């Protein structure tokens, strides 16, 4: 159908539908992202760990605050549970410092997903030389303290 002015309204309508679909997709992604982060934080805290956040960014106007699930995670302490699931830690990828115990090579794979990690303190671990390989992904890593491990340095 052609309008009186000679223009076809279909492209505009399709563009509007595509835009609405894009906005909806973004909203679903943000909601899913927030739910995964909140679930990870709840798991860590309910299993004896703690999560510390950085303050709001300096560029935010006075009086405006980001929701805490969007804040950058400064430090995670996983507590002392030997059955702690490190997959929840890997969800919080922007974590800068990690304190954990009872870490093995499999759990190190999850830790290797924390790309912004600057420091790790590991105690009571069974990490081997192969378990250190995932830390190659942590380009900012400047401090690594591991006690009670099976690392030989080979």
């Amino acid at each position: 159908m052609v309008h009186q002015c000679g223009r076809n309204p279909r492209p505009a309508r399709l563009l509007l539908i595509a835009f609405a679909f894009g906005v909806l997709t973004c909203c679903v992604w943000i909601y899913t992202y927030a739910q995964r982060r909140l679930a990870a934080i709840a798991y860590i805290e309910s299993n004896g760990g703690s999560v510390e956040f950085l303050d709001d960014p300096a560029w935010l106007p006075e009086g405006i605050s980001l929701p805490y699930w969007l804040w950058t995670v400064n430090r995670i302490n996983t507590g002392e549970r030997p059955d702690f699931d490190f997959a929840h830690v890997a969800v919080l990828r922007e974590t800068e410092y990690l304190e954990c115990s009872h870490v093995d090579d499999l759990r190190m794979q999850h830790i290797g997903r924390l790309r912004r990690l600057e420091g790790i303190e590991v105690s009571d671990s069974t990490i081997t030389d192969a378990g250190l390989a995932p830390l190659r992904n942590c380009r900012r890593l400047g401090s690594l303290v591991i006690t009670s491990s099976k690392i030989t340095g080979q």
Side-chain angles (χ1 to χ4, degrees):
M1 174 181 202
V2 178
H3 262 272
Q4 294 174 2
C5 64
R7 297 173 85 184
N8 188 348
R10 257 197 174 144
R13 194 174 304 148
L14 289 175
L15 185 62
L16 182 61
I17 290 170
F19 177 75
F21 180 74
V23 169
L24 179 63
T25 302
C26 287
C27 289
V28 168
W29 183 87
I30 290 170
Y31 176 79
T32 304
Y33 173 78
Q35 291 302 312
R36 289 185 67 219
R37 286 179 57 89
L38 290 171
I41 293 165
Y43 176 85
I44 292 167
E45 291 178 342
S46 67
N47 284 284
S50 62
V51 179
E52 296 175 18
F53 300 95
L54 291 176
D55 293 331
D56 281 332
W59 53 263
L60 272 179
E62 188 72 31
I64 295 178
S65 181
L66 292 173
Y68 82 93
W69 52 265
L70 277 177
W71 292 350
T72 298
V73 176
N74 182 36
R75 180 179 301 273
I76 295 177
N77 183 327
T78 62
E80 297 294 323
R81 290 191 58 166
D83 61 341
F84 192 89
D85 184 0
F86 278 76
H88 295 281
V89 171
V91 170
L92 304 171
R93 293 179 186 252
E94 79 287 350
T95 301
E96 295 177 345
Y97 298 96
L98 178 65
E99 297 172 34
C100 50
S101 62
H102 306 289
V103 178
D104 57 17
D105 291 352
L106 181 62
R107 291 176 174 155
M108 287 299 287
Q109 291 177 0
H110 294 296
I111 293 172
R113 293 184 188 141
L114 305 174
R115 310 273 182 194
R116 295 181 64 190
L117 204 57
E118 295 177 12
I120 307 173
E121 190 172 321
V122 180
S123 60
D124 299 324
S125 71
T126 57
I127 302 169
T128 65
D129 295 313
L132 294 176
L135 295 182
R136 290 185 190 134
N137 299 326
C138 305
R139 305 265 187 233
R140 296 182 181 186
L141 190 61
S143 171
L144 174 62
V145 178
I146 300 177
T147 59
S148 305
S149 72
K150 295 181 179 178
I151 297 173
T152 63
Q154 305 261 338

